[in-house]
Each structure stands twice: as structure tokens, then as C-alpha cells.
Amino acid sequence: MLPDGERVYAIGDIHGRYDLLTDLLARIDADDAARGEARTRIIFLGDLVDRGPDSASVVELLATRDFGGRQVDFLLGNHEEVFLKALGGNLETMRFWLRIGGEETLLSYGTPIELIDRGLADELVADFLPRVPAHHVAFLHRMTDMVRIGDYCFVHAGIRPHVALDRQKPEDLRWIREQFLNFEGSFGATVVHGHSIAAQVEELPNRIGIDTGAYATGRLTALALEGGARWYLATEAAAG
């Protein structure tokens, strides 16, 4: 349940799909308007960047968009964590980032493909740093780790079983997988998360996973909540 008068839209992993993001935001705006007055809150579950083609535009839109007075929360995903460490000059992180989708993000900010193909981390850090606008960096640094509303807990990846919600470690909230996904007991709240891709929404007694692999499938999903009701909004999946 949510507190009376509150409505929440939680958006799964975007991964550089600016086209799907704008589509889904339009669907949310229309759905929200059709349902009448409420204190509406929008929660982005993280992984705005990497893998898809237009991470820079996704960050620009979300850093500057007018959400019409609605409260908006941005959770730091593991891909934002790696982005920021690479931007900070960590050469090993830059090499790791290239293996998990960072190449597409570098390209979206204008780093030449020739430089990426050469694969020298020091060159890439030196090139990338001046290309990222200061307001993008500030926006990413403002992201948070967890949001709790009513009976729901919103995180990027999941939480560690048998650890109280207020004692969770940030690295677990951004990176955990099997220990969380395979746990069938109570977490103390229904956990809404992304990070682990599934073909369809995973709605289980203790968690709801809404990462439907947008960068590859064309389906970006949002969970909507009001009172005791749940419903879903999504972009159309890619054909074939």
C-alpha cells in the first residue's frame, strides 16, 4: 500500500535509449493526467547510461526536464557508479567500463571511435573528461541509493537478505544479483528493482523486477502504484 493521495511511477533501466524514454514519459504524463489529482512521484531505478546509443541525451533530458512540480528521485545504478569513477580518472575502471557498455556512452559524448578502438585508458580519460558538461556531473552526483514509500522499497539492483533496510551497503544496492533474486523470504518491504533483465515484469511476493532489457528489446517499463493498486506502462517491444 501507498499512503493516501500518493501515486508513484517507477521506471526501469533506460541504458541510453532516449527514444524509449521520451515515449514512456509521454505515456506517464497522459496516464497521470487521466487519473486525477494525486501527489505524484517519479522514481528512476538507475542505469540511465551505457549499452544503448544516446546516453548523453538521456542524461541531458533528465538533468534539465521540468517534471511539472512532481517529486522525482534518481537512484544511482552500477553503470552510473562506473561512469563517475572513470570520469574521475580511474584507469582500471575505464578499461572495465569499455567491457560493460561504456563504449556507447563515450561515443554519445563525442569521443572518436578511433580513440576507443586504440583502447588506451589514459587517452580515453583525458578525452572524455572535458566532453561531459558540468551539470551532467552534478546531476549524477546527486543520485541516491534507496527510496522507501509505504510498503515499498525502491533500489537499483536489490538488497541483501537478512540485513535491515537501513543497514544495507551501497555496493549491494547497486550490484547484488543471485543472493537477492533467489531469496524467497520477506525483505521487510516489497522491493522494486531493475538491474537484472527479464523478458517480462517479474512480480513476486517479495519483489518486483522491471528491467525488461530496453536497450536490446525496445521495451522500457514503468510500474505504477496508487493505494493498493498496481499497473504497468511500457513502450512497444522491438519487432522480430
Side-chain angles (χ1 to χ4, degrees):
M1 291 284 292
L2 291 187
D4 289 344
E6 294 197 16
R7 183 180 302 141
V8 171
Y9 296 91
I11 297 175
D13 302 34
I14 298 163
H15 278 305
R17 289 298 301 265
Y18 176 84
D19 55 338
L20 303 181
L21 173 60
T22 55
D23 180 342
L24 188 60
L25 287 175
R27 293 170 188 261
I28 288 171
D29 287 344
D31 186 80
D32 193 32
R35 291 178 183 275
E37 291 296 319
R39 296 187 301 278
T40 299
R41 189 167 181 174
I42 301 175
I43 302 171
F44 290 84
L45 297 184
D47 282 5
L48 311 180
V49 301
D50 296 351
R51 294 180 173 156
D54 213 351
S55 292
S57 293
V58 168
V59 176
E60 175 66 18
L61 173 64
L62 296 180
T64 60
R65 188 179 195 261
D66 180 359
F67 284 91
R70 293 173 289 192
Q71 182 172 345
V72 184
D73 300 275
F74 298 96
L75 300 181
L76 188 75
N78 59 307
H79 284 261
E80 283 81 45
E81 177 185 288
V82 174
F83 178 117
L84 288 171
K85 286 183 179 178
L87 191 65
N90 187 308
L91 300 186
E92 186 57 37
T93 298
M94 175 60 78
R95 297 184 190 100
F96 173 65
W97 192 30
L98 293 176
R99 300 197 296 271
I100 64 166
E103 175 177 333
E104 291 84 355
T105 299
L106 289 167
L107 287 169
S108 77
Y109 278 96
T111 295
I113 186 62
E114 297 81 8
L115 202 62
I116 296 172
D117 286 345
R118 200 151 63 231
L120 299 177
D122 55 343
E123 289 185 355
L124 289 170
V125 168
D127 177 85
F128 183 53
L129 179 58
R131 294 183 184 276
V132 182
H135 68 282
H136 286 204
V137 180
F139 166 73
L140 294 171
H141 276 296
R142 288 196 301 270
M143 297 173 89
T144 189
D145 291 325
M146 178 187 292
V147 172
R148 295 173 64 181
I149 309 172
D151 295 330
Y152 293 91
C153 174
F154 302 83
V155 294
H156 173 63
I159 67 173
R160 185 164 294 280
H162 308 300
V163 177
L165 294 178
D166 59 0
R167 298 182 65 85
Q168 294 287 325
K169 295 180 179 179
E171 56 264 34
D172 285 331
L173 300 176
R174 293 196 282 271
W175 291 92
I176 199 169
R177 209 179 294 274
E178 284 78 11
Q179 303 99 312
F180 166 68
L181 299 176
N182 296 334
F183 183 68
E184 297 181 353
S186 173
F187 294 113
T190 300
V191 178
V192 180
H193 66 96
H195 186 61
S196 296
I197 296 173
Q200 302 292 335
V201 169
E202 294 187 310
E203 187 170 315
L204 300 173
N206 60 356
R207 66 177 181 86
I208 304 173
I210 61 170
D211 182 359
T212 47
Y215 72 94
T217 66
R219 184 178 294 278
L220 178 63
T221 299
L223 163 66
L225 302 165
E226 186 170 1
R230 296 175 186 166
W231 64 100
Y232 297 92
L233 304 171
T235 59
E236 296 301 320

